[in-house]
Amino acid sequence: MAQLWGGRFTKETDQLVYDFNASITFDKTFFHQDVEGSIAHVTMLARQGILTEDEKESIIAGLNSIVEDVDAGKLEIDTKYEDIHSFVEANLIDRIGDAGKKLHTGRSRNDQVALDMRLYTRLQVQETDELLKELLEVLLAVMEANTETYMPGFTHLQKAQPTTLAHHYGAYFEMFKRDRQRLKDIYKRMNYCPLGAGAFAGTTYPLDRDYTAQLLGFDGPTLNSMDSVADRDYLIEFLSALATIMMHLSRFSEEIIIWNSNEYQFVEIDDAYSTGSSIMPQKKNPDIAELVRGKTGRVYGALMSLLTTMKGLPLAYNKDMQEDKEVAFDAMDTVKDCLVLFTGMIRTMRFRKERMAKSAMNGFTNATDAADYLVNKGVPFRDAHGIIGRLVLYCIDKATSIDALSLAELKEISDIFEEDIYDAISLKTCVEKRLTVGAPGPEAMNEVIRIHREYLTKDI
Ligand code: ARG
């Protein structure tokens, strides 16, 4: 047992209590942030005349040597310490003696842990954003190459109207772009420094909180010292954004699993991203997509867990808040792993374009266009809908498609049909005519692709 607070106790802590209370096994994750925060803190203390220059130099040198030794594997983060803060402080005192005992002047572990978690989360927000950007690059490359790759679009998982691969991927581009915007937004809101809040009521030392905030790259200090140590909103917002990213990845995964199925065969997942079966030799399974879909649950779980932890807490700090870490770290790692794997999977995935086009040609995906054809000839839409409905029934009965019927057969249902019907309901026409902003027509699509390209280049 190695703790910072033995003074007012007359008995040793029970070992089970100590272990239950300790957080070092997981808060060692932000060891580097803890030291970074301490260096900023002592730099400010010296500038304010609270520490001497010599004390500051000695503390910073000591802290840097601890980091060097841990990074080089010469010093292990020993789990006998209660938390990462105690580990660093104890090691510092070992190395530099009395000056080390001044590190914690004007600081509490409450504002210290609030700072460490914020610094670590801020980094995670950036790393997640970079991975999302890589995914968007891959999506956009596929979009650029496939504005005329036809495929069926679905509603209710039933073939509805023809679209293109560029258009389908474009939908996901929008989702992941919004995910990035959410992260930017969260970053802006969370980028204030809680250090200097002390236990919850500030301190009587003349701390310069603006200066520490500036040293650590924050936009300023937080403005209420109670809130500073009690706020985990930023983490809840981030977990919510992560849950949304997973929801998007999971929907996409689900589609890839369907497209990769024996019945569809729209895509073939690369061998490097597939796995086999121990019993069925023919199997090539889309495990990565399934795992991404499956891991969505634990990220949702992290969000629910922290929301529930926070819901009944009186101000200010409560030990309950230590529970923010394991679930949040797990969610952060999970989402980053999923983004890396998913991006790799779709970068290497092959499209079976003929099968996709063929599938778009059957299933009456041109029925809406056939109705529009009649509308253009003066038939009111509701009547046209009825006529084409009867035509579809006729085709189902004869196991054929609208475009395979002879003009005579078509005329039997409505004498408005002429030879130009065939061109009007061809797959190419059905797609190319959809030219409104956001629609799959290649001209409209190319304009959207141009906007996305600019967005990725300028990173706005
Ligand atoms: N391990 C604690 C946490 O994660 C650090 C803060 C401890 N503060 C305290 N008053 N016991 O929240």
Side-chain angles (χ1 to χ4, degrees):
M1 287 189 237
Q3 62 224 16
L4 298 169
W5 40 262
R8 63 104 58 221
F9 289 78
T10 53
K11 261 195 194 172
E12 280 280 296
T13 320
D14 180 278
Q15 187 63 47
L16 281 177
V17 172
Y18 186 83
D19 293 344
F20 191 64
N21 194 49
S23 53
I24 190 150
T25 52
F26 48 88
D27 63 19
K28 64 181 180 186
T29 306
F30 49 52
F31 163 67
H32 286 100
Q33 286 71 25
D34 191 72
V35 172
E36 188 189 347
S38 290
I39 289 176
H41 183 61
V42 295
T43 305
M44 179 275 294
L45 290 179
R47 193 169 185 249
Q48 296 301 98
I50 302 165
L51 292 185
T52 66
E53 276 302 306
D54 283 352
E55 286 166 336
K56 174 190 93 176
E57 294 303 330
S58 153
I59 292 175
I60 293 180
L63 288 171
N64 283 331
S65 75
I66 295 172
V67 172
E68 270 166 39
D69 288 355
V70 168
D71 288 352
K74 283 194 233 155
L75 173 65
E76 214 185 309
I77 297 182
D78 189 338
T79 51
K80 79 168 191 254
Y81 293 97
E82 182 188 348
D83 52 33
I84 194 66
H85 326 297
S86 322
F87 165 80
V88 172
E89 193 174 314
N91 269 275
L92 183 68
I93 295 167
D94 261 6
R95 285 173 192 226
I96 67 165
D98 279 352
K101 295 183 182 165
K102 297 193 173 181
L103 168 67
H104 210 53
T105 313
R107 189 173 71 171
S108 154
R109 275 185 298 169
N110 296 353
D111 60 343
Q112 186 177 0
V113 79
L115 171 70
D116 294 358
M117 194 62 183
R118 221 175 256 240
L119 286 173
Y120 187 79
T121 304
R122 194 173 70 171
L123 192 68
Q124 299 304 311
V125 172
Q126 284 168 323
E127 287 183 8
T128 309
D129 183 61
E130 275 158 33
L131 293 174
L132 278 171
K133 190 177 180 199
E134 281 170 35
L135 172 57
L136 287 180
E137 293 281 2
V138 173
L139 289 179
L140 194 58
V142 173
M143 288 166 69
E144 282 166 339
N146 290 285
T147 54
E148 285 172 44
T149 304
Y150 303 131
M151 64 183 289
F154 299 82
T155 62
H156 314 269
L157 200 54
Q158 311 251 30
K159 283 184 201 176
Q161 290 170 343
T163 186
T164 66
L165 179 55
H167 190 236
H168 202 116
Y169 264 41
Y172 285 104
F173 192 100
E174 299 293 333
M175 296 178 225
F176 294 120
K177 182 178 170 186
R178 285 196 297 274
D179 286 332
R180 291 191 75 202
Q181 290 165 343
R182 259 183 282 278
L183 294 183
K184 275 204 166 61
D185 207 37
I186 291 167
Y187 189 98
K188 241 195 287 166
R189 201 167 17 258
M190 72 175 282
N191 200 29
Y192 291 90
C193 185
L195 195 62
F200 77 91
T203 76
T204 53
Y205 297 96
L207 305 185
D208 184 347
R209 293 194 57 214
D210 284 292
Y211 183 55
T212 359
Q214 189 197 324
L215 287 176
L216 292 166
F218 286 106
D219 292 327
T222 50
L223 296 183
N224 181 289
S225 56
M226 269 201 169
D227 178 57
S228 307
V229 294
D231 167 31
R232 296 294 181 272
D233 294 8
Y234 71 92
L235 201 51
I236 288 171
E237 282 193 55
F238 184 41
L239 290 176
S240 162
L242 292 180
T244 308
I245 293 170
M246 288 307 290
M247 181 268 289
H248 290 151
L249 285 175
S250 184
R251 292 182 76 175
F252 207 163
S253 294
E254 169 72 9
E255 296 213 279
I256 288 170
I257 293 162
I258 293 172
W259 293 350
N260 187 64
S261 68
N262 301 137
E263 282 68 23
Y264 276 73
Q265 295 178 31
F266 282 7
V267 299
E268 191 183 342
I269 299 177
D270 196 71
D271 276 6
Y273 283 87
S274 308
T275 51
S277 156
S278 61
I279 177 169
M280 297 167 282
Q282 84 282 14
K283 281 298 204 92
K284 189 175 147 189
N285 298 327
D287 287 31
I288 297 305
E290 289 172 19
L291 270 175
V292 169
R293 188 178 59 183
K295 284 177 191 288
T296 304
R298 62 202 269 183
V299 178
Y300 287 8
L303 172 63
M304 281 308 131
S305 169
L306 188 56
L307 278 169
T308 312
T309 297
M310 296 304 292
K311 78 174 268 292
L313 298 190
L315 293 180
Y317 178 82
N318 298 271
K319 191 70 176 220
D320 313 46
M321 286 154 77
Q322 179 166 290
E323 285 297 307
D324 62 351
K325 293 173 195 63
E326 284 162 290
V327 289
F329 294 155
D330 181 73
M332 293 167 185
D333 290 345
T334 301
V335 175
K336 283 194 295 181
D337 286 352
C338 287
L339 281 168
V340 169
L341 270 297
F342 188 87
T343 302
M345 179 182 69
I346 65 161
R347 182 185 282 127
T348 51
M349 197 169 74
R350 261 190 347 103
F351 296 99
R352 298 187 149 157
K353 298 184 186 177
E354 296 94 87
R355 277 196 66 90
M356 291 162 84
K358 218 166 159 196
S359 167
M361 276 191 294
N362 55 47
F364 306 103
T365 59
N366 54 5
T368 315
D369 294 78
D372 289 344
Y373 168 87
L374 294 177
V375 171
N376 282 331
K377 302 256 174 187
V379 181
F381 181 77
R382 198 45 63 209
D383 293 341
H385 189 286
I387 294 168
I388 302 301
R390 286 200 297 282
L391 193 57
V392 167
L393 200 60
Y394 177 83
C395 290
I396 292 172
D397 199 41
K398 295 248 170 340
T400 184
S401 60
I402 304 176
D403 35 285
L405 296 178
S406 68
L407 191 56
E409 280 175 295
L410 288 168
K411 276 191 177 293
E412 250 172 61
I413 294 190
S414 166
D415 60 8
I416 294 167
F417 285 118
E418 297 297 343
E419 197 56 44
D420 58 353
I421 175 67
Y422 297 106
D423 183 52
I425 61 170
S426 77
L427 194 51
K428 196 169 155 66
T429 314
C430 289
V431 173
E432 273 181 6
K433 270 196 166 165
R434 291 184 150 74
L435 286 174
T436 46
V437 181
E443 244 176 80
M445 201 66 234
N446 279 327
E447 176 53 16
V448 169
I449 287 174
R450 194 191 58 71
I451 294 169
H452 289 338
R453 190 40 76 204
E454 190 175 312
Y455 157 73
L456 285 182
T457 314
K458 294 199 182 142
D459 208 1
I460 19 178

